[in-house]
Amino acid sequence: MAPRDCPLAPGSQDGTPPPDPEGALRGAAAAPHSPLAAPASPINHFSCSFSDFPLVPGVPPPPIPTFPDDPAPASVAPCPLFFRVDPFTDYGSALTISLPSSLEPHQPFQVIIRYTTIDAPAIWWLDPELTYGNAKPFVFTQGHSVCNRSFFPCFDTPAVKCTYSAIVKAPAGMQVLMSATQSTYEEEEGTYQFYMEYPIPAYLVALVAGDLVPADIGPRSKVWAEPCLLSTAISKLSGRVERWLSAAESLYGPYIWGRYDIVFLPPSFPIVAMENPCLTFIISSILESDEFLIIDVIHEVAHSWFGNAVTNATWEEMWLSEGLATYAQRRITTETYGAAFTCLETAFRLDALHRQMKLLGEDNPVSKLQVKLEPGVNPSNLMNLFTYEKGYCFVYYLSQLCGDPARFDAFLRAYIEKYKFTSVVAQDLLDSFLAFFPELKEQSIESRTGLEFERWLNATGPPLIEPDLSQGSSLTCPVETLFSLWTTEPLDAVAAAGSVDIAEWRTFQTVLFLDRLLDGSPLPEEVISKLSECYSAQLDGMNAEIRIRWLQIIVRNDYHPDLHKVRRFLENQMSRMYTIPLYEDLCTGTLKSFALDIFYQTQNQLHPNLRKTIQQILTQGLNPLLAMDAAAVMADPLAAVVEDKPPEAAHSAISLRDVNVSA
């Protein structure tokens, strides 16, 4: 969404004060660019005030919240400071503030910045029609990686952590939540107050407001959802979250954030889930896919230790958050659901990794774990499956060097205890690993030929070693057998159809099978016809993660008898993860006019950012008349205000249609 003018940042792209080089404000309050900058950060506490009412001339703005431990005497009057706004990149500007010369070294001080931000990449405003209940408007923020600089002025780098407090004013009947450890509500004033008592990086400050109601699902967990979704959310998660938290604590030590609540957001939420401390954001669309819901929530639980407590100091090493969280997620699922299930999910994700590798090429620099962030490159563009799965494989390799996963768990507990509430670089992790296992250091394990730590971090291409998934063979072998039966010539459709009842399969088995069919598409005409005959009606009754893959197979094979199912699916979807892959497939093949017709009918139910992304897909490669027609249809007043978009909306070189993953 296009930002509007900000008094502090005239002419800036998003009205916020970005980093130097990747997020730190410049000037006397500059944050040191250090792997462990947080403890010595010049910011001890960040305090802000938000209102969803526009500022009116002559009406005072909301009050500035007070600091929990106010370092400035009340008798000291504030003085104006000189500042300037300097160009940085197309995703922000740098705010430089000059401090008084009378300020003594190491003397605590406060800087008060009054600013306005309305429409910005971090802030998503939804009309009631874009919610499930269609009753009230909704707003949420999404700060990762560098969007929160458009929400509030900040040191927008993971190297800097601070506590924060906030006052939020909202209309009656609107529930406001933030990623904070403490909150209060003043009904007469209509204001909420929040306080996060532990230091966090700027990207983890999150806010949501809407028609949300709570329910307890455990001794330290609530679920928040629109009223029409609450019973479903309760039935899916009641008792489960506490089980996952307890399993994580047994592996990695105490859960330090107090509460672990979950809020389900409308389908416009641009990603699947976000690990905001104390309050995980998750897209409501995932509720119908039990196994994906389990994995996604457990992954966010794991971030409570890896990413939130200990954070990557630079965006160039996001694997320190995502790779470790993925490893921890799989340790938790092994403890709670068994090794076979974990191996099945891992096989599904590694398939997706190799699919992405095939697209990008093995020499692509984004496949490195230590990606070089060139000046001006938005860190959000570095998010890819290598961050998760190649990072996971390296962590798995380290665990295997110990000879026992339990010994590695003990190391990770010590790592968390040593570095919690700070930010680290890879060398911190690896040095700690070798110090914890001196026998491995004596063996120079970090320099083992072909598996050097340096090679893991800086070599392009696939992981140097992948995990042994043989414990999942009882679940993966039937998938491989069925895929072989359907793709071996000559086709024996009777034998293939009668070999297994996929209704008895786990979701991850079915999506793994369908993904492999997708990889092999277009399929011979006889094969796609018989597949439809055997499975189409059955798949119609399964969850959206399964249905979208079958519909992609229909589209990639131009199988017209089932195209009506594609239309019906898109007419009932408002989620990016269930619309973009199909539109990309439709427009890559021969069905662009079919896609355009569906879009004509459904565009008003889509968020403006999603609408613009689909517009870009539809107009690429269309003949001039169709392109003009599409542009005319989409140039409605609501779409016209969307001049910019957050990184999620970019139609990047890596199309979702070729990745086939939801998170």
Side-chain angles (χ1 to χ4, degrees), residues 554-567:
I554 289 171
V555 171
R556 292 194 194 184
N557 287 274
D558 287 332
Y559 189 64
H560 287 252
D562 278 356
L563 275 182
H564 66 283
K565 298 183 178 183
V566 176
R567 177 185 290 275

Side-chain angles (χ1 to χ4, degrees), residues 29-306:
H33 186 63
S34 161
L36 297 179
S41 168
I43 300 184
N44 294 319
H45 181 81
F46 172 78
S47 192
C48 55
S49 179
F50 305 119
S51 173
D52 61 4
F53 298 110
L55 297 181
V56 179
V59 177
I64 297 292
T66 57
F67 287 67
D69 299 306
D70 193 339
S75 60
V76 177
C79 62
L81 299 175
F82 292 101
F83 68 90
R84 71 174 189 271
V85 178
D86 298 323
F88 176 67
T89 66
D90 64 354
Y91 57 91
S93 304
L95 173 64
T96 302
I97 300 173
S98 299
L99 299 180
S101 58
S102 59
L103 193 66
E104 297 293 331
H106 307 296
Q107 177 184 345
F109 63 92
Q110 296 179 10
V111 175
I112 297 174
I113 303 173
R114 293 195 180 276
Y115 67 98
T116 301
T117 181
I118 300 176
D119 291 332
I123 306 169
W124 293 63
W125 301 96
L126 308 184
D127 292 328
E129 295 75 19
L130 294 178
T131 68
Y132 281 105
N134 298 310
K136 297 179 182 179
F138 203 98
V139 63
F140 63 83
T141 65
Q142 172 56 23
H144 196 286
S145 299
V146 290
C147 287
N148 264 354
R149 60 189 60 181
S150 66
F151 181 22
F152 55 90
C154 58
F155 290 73
D156 200 1
T157 167
V160 174
K161 293 185 171 184
C162 67
T163 59
Y164 82 86
S165 59
I167 294 176
V168 184
K169 186 175 179 63
M174 297 293 286
Q175 177 67 52
V176 181
L177 306 169
M178 289 192 75
S179 54
T181 51
Q182 300 174 29
S183 64
T184 60
Y185 176 56
E186 298 290 339
E187 187 172 0
E188 289 186 7
E189 301 294 328
T191 59
Y192 293 81
Q193 297 190 37
F194 300 95
Y195 176 50
M196 167 52 77
E197 62 192 280
Y198 303 115
I200 60 172
Y203 74 87
L204 291 178
V205 177
L207 177 148
V208 59
D211 188 12
L212 295 168
V213 289
D216 289 324
I217 54 171
R220 46 185 161 174
S221 298
K222 276 182 169 54
V223 64
W224 294 84
E226 294 184 62
C228 59
L229 294 175
L230 187 63
S231 61
T232 301
I234 295 170
S235 67
K236 300 282 186 177
L237 292 174
S238 184
R240 283 180 162 182
V241 172
E242 183 60 29
R243 181 185 178 194
W244 301 333
L245 286 170
S246 297
E249 287 183 313
S250 70
L251 294 169
Y252 305 120
Y255 177 75
I256 59 179
W257 303 97
R259 296 199 58 79
Y260 184 89
D261 294 342
I262 298 171
V263 57
F264 283 96
L265 302 186
S268 298
F269 188 51
I271 58 177
V272 176
M274 183 62 202
E275 65 271 17
N276 304 309
C278 307
L279 186 66
T280 286
F281 284 16
I282 192 162
I283 193 168
S284 299
S285 312
I286 207 72
L287 274 169
E288 67 173 278
S289 307
D290 282 7
E291 291 178 24
F292 279 82
L293 176 65
I294 289 169
I295 292 299
D296 291 331
V297 175
I298 292 177
H299 184 82
E300 307 315 319
V301 166
H303 270 307
S304 301
W305 286 262
F306 305 99

Side-chain angles (χ1 to χ4, degrees), residues 309-333:
V310 182
T311 309
N312 46 286
T314 79
W315 292 120
E316 296 174 334
E317 293 188 323
M318 277 188 274
W319 74 272
L320 285 169
S321 171
E322 297 300 348
L324 280 161
T326 301
Y327 178 86
Q329 161 213 310
R330 289 173 180 155
R331 288 288 291 126
I332 296 167
T333 58

Side-chain angles (χ1 to χ4, degrees), residues 462-520:
L464 303 180
I465 280 181
E466 293 188 6
D468 175 11
L469 302 179
S470 58
Q471 289 182 285
S473 60
S474 63
L475 298 175
T476 55
C477 284
V479 175
E480 293 165 1
T481 299
L482 186 61
F483 176 72
S484 178
L485 287 170
W486 279 107
T487 54
T488 299
E489 297 182 355
L491 173 66
D492 186 344
V494 174
S499 65
V500 66
D501 181 4
I502 65 171
E504 298 179 356
W505 273 5
R506 290 180 174 271
T507 290
F508 278 118
Q509 288 178 287
T510 306
V511 296
L512 183 60
F513 170 61
L514 294 175
D515 274 353
R516 292 186 176 179
L517 289 175
L518 267 171
D519 291 340

